[in-house]
Amino acid sequence: MAKLPVVFIIGASGQVGTATTKALSEKYGGKVKIRAGVRDPNVDKADSLKALSNVSLVKATMGADKLEETFKDVDALFIVTPPTEDRAELVTKTARSAKASGVKYILALSVEGASEMSDTPFGKQFTEIETNVRELGVPYGIVRLPYFLDNIFMVKESIQKHQKLSGWPIKEDKPMSAIHPKDAGLACASLLVDYENHNGKIYNLISHRLSVGEIAREFSSALGKEIEVETMTYDESRRILASIGLPQWRIDGFIAFCEQVNTQSPALNTTDLSDLERLSGEKPTTLKDYTIAVAPTFM
């Protein structure tokens, strides 16, 4: 019997990591061996991964010194970039360990318009990640993701208590790209299983483009009550984000992102949305379906 290829997801407990591991388990469990790398397999966040069939949970800390041993016999590695200030360093160290271990393919997670926004906090980080992975000399792929639909939970209290979508300094009528983690997981799983056909490729995974106003209208429909948009200034948003403990680098990155949306920067104005469906083989989650699914938690 032919040996099954090994797919390893490091950073598997986050949204994209979990969605990718789940898609691999459900769609390709008999075609690949799946290893989900997490910092601590015993924490509650790892429980959803433990429940998946054909998945082995592995203790693996991104950027750690002993990853070469962890990556032995791995064919395709997905590095799910963490939400930390030193993420470029962590991803680079992890990728170098993968190369030393003989990993055949590295898939790295980036953001929409990374190279065109290298002068912004997030753009600088992800441009460094893309450059370092590309220059490593190992077959690679990059998936660029836009704004997560699940970020709506940042304003959950405002919707519940005040019937307002408040806290974002994004103008109501300005469209932006968005992704549902489930959609991203399906596409990444397909790519990892068929990695030999995706060397040197960069994919923009976008479920659809929408505005804050459209989000408010769909939530109004799903909740059966009017949800208004209350657009804040950049300074007001900075104060709110600081008050909930968000680190300064993330605040700066978020505000820069909002400025790019408000000016409709070409970097965040991807027009070709075909990559997602072509890779996943499924239609993207619609905003209507998403709001209906999460509405009960906003009641």
Side-chain angles (χ1 to χ4, degrees):
M1 180 180 292
K3 180 182 177 182
L4 294 178
V6 177
V7 174
F8 196 114
I9 304 95
I10 187 165
S13 61
Q15 287 179 305
V16 176
T18 296
T20 301
T21 306
K22 186 173 186 291
L24 283 167
S25 172
E26 294 178 350
K27 296 190 70 174
Y28 308 104
K31 296 181 179 180
V32 295
K33 289 184 178 180
I34 309 161
R35 297 177 188 170
V38 296
R39 283 180 296 178
D40 185 353
N42 297 313
V43 298
D44 292 343
K45 283 183 69 176
D47 287 346
S48 61
L49 297 172
K50 293 176 183 177
L52 298 173
S53 60
N54 302 306
V55 174
S56 298
L57 214 57
V58 179
K59 185 174 182 179
T61 300
M62 202 171 299
D65 293 331
K66 298 182 179 180
L67 284 176
E68 290 182 24
E69 182 67 27
T70 304
F71 293 152
K72 279 187 175 180
D73 303 321
V74 170
D75 292 281
L77 171 68
F78 184 18
I79 304 176
V80 185
T81 304
T84 57
E85 189 172 11
D86 61 346
R87 52 188 166 195
E89 178 185 353
L90 295 179
V91 170
T92 300
K93 289 179 67 176
T94 301
R96 288 172 178 164
S97 293
K99 177 181 180 178
S101 299
V103 171
K104 298 175 183 175
Y105 182 85
I106 297 173
L107 178 65
L109 186 151
S110 186
V111 294
E112 180 188 19
S115 57
E116 293 87 356
M117 297 192 302
S118 58
D119 59 338
T120 69
F122 293 165
K124 180 179 179 181
Q125 292 172 329
F126 284 101
T127 296
E128 183 177 347
I129 287 171
E130 290 190 10
T131 299
N132 291 346
V133 169
R134 186 173 61 247
E135 295 179 351
L136 199 59
V138 176
Y140 75 93
I142 292 169
V143 286
R144 291 177 171 176
L145 303 187
Y147 198 73
F148 284 3
L149 282 174
D150 279 357
N151 285 333
I152 189 70
F153 283 90
M154 291 174 61
V155 294
K156 177 180 176 181
E157 184 175 351
S158 174
I159 291 176
Q160 285 179 319
K161 294 183 178 180
H162 308 294
Q163 295 181 207
K164 290 184 178 180
L165 203 164
S166 177
W168 291 345
I170 300 176
K171 296 176 182 178
E172 184 174 354
D173 62 339
K174 300 298 183 182
M176 60 183 175
S177 304
I179 184 78
H180 190 308
K182 175 188 173 184
D183 295 342
L186 287 168
C188 291
S190 172
L191 197 160
L192 288 164
V193 170
D194 189 33
Y195 67 88
E196 292 178 335
N197 291 315
H198 300 284
N199 180 25
K201 300 293 181 64
I202 298 177
Y203 295 107
N204 290 295
L205 304 184
I206 300 171
S207 297
H208 35 61
R209 287 183 56 78
L210 47 79
S211 66
V212 175
E214 289 175 284
I215 295 174
R217 288 190 288 275
E218 286 295 349
F219 266 93
S220 297
S221 177
L223 296 174
K225 57 184 179 182
E226 187 69 23
I227 304 299
E228 299 178 358
V229 176
E230 184 177 65
T231 305
M232 293 194 169
T233 66
Y234 295 128
D235 286 341
E236 287 171 335
S237 185
R238 284 183 182 278
R239 286 195 293 271
I240 290 175
L241 294 174
S243 71
I244 62 175
L246 209 65
Q248 190 60 48
W249 71 272
R250 289 192 66 181
I251 295 175
D252 292 341
F254 176 70
I255 296 300
F257 163 78
C258 294
E259 290 173 339
Q260 295 278 331
V261 173
N262 285 334
T263 60
Q264 291 293 279
S265 165
L268 297 180
N269 197 19
T270 303
T271 56
D272 183 358
L273 311 186
S274 63
D275 284 350
L276 179 63
E277 187 174 345
R278 185 169 63 252
L279 287 171
S280 70
E282 299 186 16
K283 293 288 185 182
T285 302
T286 66
L287 179 58
K288 180 177 181 179
D289 288 342
Y290 174 79
T291 53
I292 291 174
V294 301
T297 63
F298 285 79
M299 295 295 189

